[in-house]
Amino acid sequence: MCSRTQTNISSILDISIKKKKIIKALVLLDRKKGHANIAKGLLNALSSRTEVDTCYLKLRKTGSHGSKLFQKMWPFGIHLAKYFLQSQINFNSPGLPNVVIGSGGNMLWPTAALARSYNATSIFCGSKRHLPTGAVDLLLHCDPSKEKSEGSIILPIIPSVTNPIKCREEWALFRDEHAISSSERHFTCLIGGNGGGYVWADKDYYNLANQMLMLSKKHGIKWLITSSRRTAPSAYQIFDKILPRNVIQDDCWVHKNDRRPVMNAYLGGGEVIYVTEDSCSMLHESIACNKAVVSVRPKKGSIDATLLTFLQSAEAKGWIMRCPADNMISEVKDISLHEENIFNSTGELIMKKIDHNMGIQTESKRSQSFQESNPASNSWSGFASR
């Protein structure tokens, strides 16, 4: 069974090298939309460089404690992921995955284990946490303070499904559906909550709403407002009290069970994007849409060091301007926008790593993969398979 599987994988690798990039990507998704968007963003970067046959696999029951335990016990049990999930893997064309993509802590072990089981290249956005060095082939992260090591790439921003073209297209559809005049001007506000070391009190939301009202009067704009799952329910009541409906073009509040996928449309419609600093995903998506971005922070909190490093770096590059919620920046003409496609080189970097793995599959590595997945050669795996 194992030798036949290895033969099939070898055939896939050989075909990929000869025909230049036949990629069969298995993309692992968890319950969190932000993680799914990152995984899909990585896939988009890969797809920009080559044709990809994709299979999405949703893992609904992924406990953090179990995942952490398996990470510490690596490589024990790696064949279990393949045993339980293989029946759900269906590609458009015959064959096994040669790339496995994942994001989010609970997806780390399944990404590494499935890739190792199929002798595929594993690509993960985040840190290796408790896994040993080399368990994941390619780690992607955005922390410039961390030393760039072999098998890792420091990206400018987190990959996502957001890009300028997509935002413009979705805003055009949204505008048509809601009969919004093309002459109307809009600003966008993405509201988070406690996170990243920040603490949002009602007073902060009150200040934010008042500043938005001031900006609306000053610039003659209407607001596009969306919240996150961490936004306090009281925030809506505060905004509803302070902001009259005639200065709000549209709003989407998660706690009111509004699940419309409006993020890209809102980003496409706003001339300026105001986003709270507590949400990494919203910050990165805002930057990715290639608009003027202003990050807003509350008064209280001890900001996470990694988040602060990114914010300072983004500000130095001219991607964002930072301000407190009670004194929001209203003039953003001096913001220097970045290139149209901030992920221009990400797909190429990933492809180089995949080509490296495919072209230099040494016999020792194949032997190691065989031993880790063969019960007869590994007492731990043999015990787990019983």
Side-chain angles (χ1 to χ4, degrees):
M1 177 66 180
C2 185
S3 60
R4 184 167 65 250
T5 301
Q6 287 187 328
T7 301
N8 290 339
I9 293 173
S10 299
S11 300
I12 293 172
L13 297 179
D14 292 340
I15 291 173
S16 179
I17 294 169
K18 290 177 182 178
K19 293 189 176 181
K20 285 294 177 186
K21 326 289 193 283
I22 294 181
I23 301 300
K24 303 183 78 64
L26 177 61
V27 183
L28 306 185
L29 306 177
D30 64 8
R31 300 180 184 181
K32 296 183 179 180
K33 187 176 180 180
H35 294 161
N37 284 342
I38 293 173
K40 291 177 181 178
L42 290 175
L43 177 66
N44 288 346
L46 192 57
S47 300
S48 70
R49 296 297 172 183
T50 186
E51 184 176 352
V52 181
D53 184 7
T54 307
C55 173
Y56 291 102
L57 186 59
K58 294 183 178 181
L59 305 182
R60 297 300 183 186
K61 297 180 179 179
T62 54
S64 59
H65 296 297
S67 178
K68 184 182 298 185
L69 179 63
F70 275 116
Q71 290 174 34
K72 292 181 177 180
M73 297 177 67
W74 181 273
F76 166 72
I78 60 172
H79 69 290
L80 293 176
K82 179 179 176 181
Y83 176 80
F84 285 111
L85 300 174
Q86 183 167 334
S87 62
Q88 304 176 49
I89 300 175
N90 296 300
F91 287 99
N92 294 327
S93 58
L96 301 173
N98 47 27
V99 173
V100 181
I101 296 173
S103 174
N106 291 340
M107 294 295 100
L108 175 58
W109 183 83
T111 299
L114 280 172
R116 187 62 63 89
S117 296
Y118 287 112
N119 204 15
T121 298
S122 54
I123 303 174
F124 185 79
C125 189
S127 68
K128 67 182 182 67
R129 291 175 171 81
H130 302 285
L131 284 179
T133 300
V136 178
D137 295 305
L138 185 57
L139 287 169
L140 308 178
H141 62 88
C142 306
D143 186 356
S145 67
K146 292 182 179 178
E147 181 180 357
K148 182 178 179 181
S149 58
E150 184 179 356
S152 70
I153 297 177
I154 300 176
L155 300 178
I157 59 175
I158 297 173
S160 75
V161 295
T162 299
N163 61 66
I165 295 175
K166 187 177 181 67
C167 290
R168 288 194 293 267
E169 290 176 345
E170 294 200 21
W171 170 245
L173 292 173
F174 186 91
R175 188 180 59 199
D176 291 343
E177 290 174 0
H178 293 77
I180 300 173
S181 172
S182 59
S183 63
E184 290 192 76
R185 300 177 59 206
H186 303 90
F187 285 179
T188 297
C189 187
L190 313 181
I191 306 171
N194 296 343
Y198 284 122
V199 178
W200 281 84
D202 285 353
K203 179 64 175 178
D204 296 305
Y205 288 123
Y206 180 87
N207 290 335
L208 177 59
N210 272 307
Q211 289 289 298
M212 290 170 64
L213 180 60
M214 178 272 294
L215 290 173
S216 179
K217 293 178 179 178
K218 181 175 182 177
H219 296 282
I221 57 91
K222 290 185 178 181
W223 285 97
L224 300 163
I225 305 170
T226 185
S227 66
S228 76
R229 57 186 172 82
R230 291 179 290 102
T231 308
S234 59
Y236 170 77
Q237 299 172 353
I238 294 171
F239 275 67
D240 188 52
K241 180 179 179 180
I242 295 175
L243 291 178
R245 293 307 302 179
N246 63 354
V247 302
I248 300 176
Q249 182 66 66
D250 195 66
D251 52 356
C252 180
W253 295 89
V254 174
H255 86 279
K256 291 181 70 67
N257 204 32
D258 189 342
R259 303 295 180 179
R260 291 177 298 155
V262 297
M263 177 67 83
N264 285 331
Y266 283 8
L267 291 174
E271 296 178 21
V272 182
I273 312 300
Y274 289 85
V275 53
T276 60
E277 288 189 353
D278 51 272
S279 174
C280 273
S281 60
M282 292 197 300
L283 278 165
H284 287 262
E285 286 176 320
S286 299
I287 295 171
C289 77
N290 199 33
K291 296 285 186 76
V293 178
V294 179
S295 66
V296 184
R297 61 184 180 273
K299 285 189 174 182
K300 293 184 179 181
S302 178
I303 185 171
D304 175 78
T306 300
L307 175 59
L308 179 60
T309 299
F310 170 75
L311 288 168
Q312 291 173 336
S313 174
E315 185 177 31
K317 293 174 182 176
W319 293 349
I320 65 172
M321 296 181 71
R322 301 180 64 201
C323 67
D326 60 356
N327 188 23
M328 286 168 62
I329 295 171
S330 60
E331 301 296 335
V332 295
K333 294 180 181 179
D334 59 340
I335 289 183
S336 58
L337 299 181
H338 48 77
E339 296 178 0
E340 178 74 8
N341 185 3
I342 202 167
F343 297 120
N344 190 43
S345 62
T346 301
E348 184 176 351
L349 290 170
I350 294 174
M351 283 307 307
K352 286 181 180 179
K353 180 63 178 179
I354 292 173
D355 286 345
H356 176 81
N357 278 21
M358 289 181 173
I360 311 179
Q361 282 285 344
T362 63
E363 194 62 36
S364 60
K365 184 173 181 179
R366 293 185 181 184
S367 175
Q368 180 184 3
S369 299
F370 174 80
Q371 291 175 0
E372 291 176 350
S373 59
N374 187 352
S377 303
N378 189 300
S379 58
W380 284 100
S381 297
F383 175 79
S385 64
R386 292 188 180 96

